[in-house]
Amino acid sequence: MISWTAAILAGGQARRLGGLDKSALVVGARSILDRQLSLLRGLTPHLLIVTSDRSRVQAAGVPVVVDRIGGAGALGGLYTALVEAPTEQVLVIGCDMPFLTAPFLRYLAERGRAADATVPRDGRGRHPLCASYDRRTAQHFHARIQAGDLRIGDALLDLTVRELGPADLAPFN
């Protein structure tokens, strides 16, 4: 079994939600973050939370790391996750995804082993904040940040990306 890290990106400013902490939003009886951690603890021992402000996120037994490059948005969070992860493969998950499932994440991890990035794509486009990345891409993302190009979609253009299209995703809907 190949080991992977699950990194929850919880550093966004949530402008559309008036600055609310998306990870703390309650769905059912639990916060999104609690739901994600409960799911992920059953899949991998390697968990971490990436945030822009350590005081905003607390989770028992899970390392919380602060963005290595402030102001770099989601790309900065992705870069931090790749640098901080103890494994070569990192599943990056946005903190606003309460309905992920174990079968889907296992599939994403399995398919993510042989590419720089493995990214789901549906009718709305790619979803790079619920994707698998190889740690070797960290320097590529760092260079994009240094150049001021913070769009993850643009950064993926220079990588070997395996897309999981609608047919791949259908069993998980």
Side-chain angles (χ1 to χ4, degrees), residues 2 8 10-11 39 42 44 52-53 59-60 62 65 77 81-82 85 87 89 95-96 99 117 121 123 160-161 171:
I2 295 177
I8 299 171
L39 172 66
T44 181
S52 58
D53 178 0
V62 178
V65 297
L82 294 170
T87 62
Q89 183 182 10
C95 70
D96 57 354
F99 302 113
R121 179 188 48 79
T160 301
V161 177

Side-chain angles (χ1 to χ4, degrees), residues 29-68:
R30 299 181 298 168
S31 72
I32 294 174
L33 182 62
D34 287 343
R35 292 170 66 95
Q36 289 178 330
L37 290 172
S38 178
L39 172 66
L40 293 168
R41 283 185 173 116
L43 298 174
T44 181
H46 306 291
L47 303 175
L48 63 96
I49 300 169
V50 179
T51 183
S52 58
D53 178 0
R54 187 184 307 272
S55 68
R56 286 182 49 185
V57 181
Q58 311 224 342
V62 178
V64 176
V65 297
V66 176
D67 289 331
R68 286 180 165 242

Side-chain angles (χ1 to χ4, degrees), residues 16-147:
R16 289 176 290 187
L17 291 174
L20 291 174
D21 178 2
K22 292 185 282 186
S23 70
L25 294 175
V26 175
V27 175
R30 299 181 298 168
S31 72
I32 294 174
L33 182 62
D34 287 343
R35 292 170 66 95
Q36 289 178 330
L37 290 172
S38 178
L39 172 66
L40 293 168
R41 283 185 173 116
L43 298 174
T44 181
H46 306 291
L47 303 175
L48 63 96
I49 300 169
V50 179
T51 183
S52 58
D53 178 0
R54 187 184 307 272
S55 68
R56 286 182 49 185
V57 181
Q58 311 224 342
V62 178
V64 176
V65 297
V66 176
D67 289 331
R68 286 180 165 242
I69 303 172
L75 187 60
L78 171 56
Y79 167 72
T80 300
L82 294 170
V83 171
E84 296 286 340
T87 62
E88 294 303 311
Q89 183 182 10
V90 182
L91 265 61
V92 173
I93 299 166
C95 70
D96 57 354
M97 300 177 182
F99 302 113
L100 295 172
T101 66
F104 171 71
L105 292 176
R106 280 191 206 102
Y107 180 75
L108 179 58
E110 178 183 304
R111 301 290 292 166
R113 292 183 187 150
D116 292 339
T118 300
V119 181
R121 179 188 48 79
D122 62 16
R124 294 176 292 159
R126 286 180 167 175
H127 296 277
L129 295 183
C130 183
S132 172
Y133 294 90
D134 191 290
R135 279 187 66 168
R136 70 179 171 262
T137 62
Q139 290 310 311
H140 169 72
F141 292 130
H142 185 262
R144 299 295 292 223
I145 293 167
Q146 294 303 315

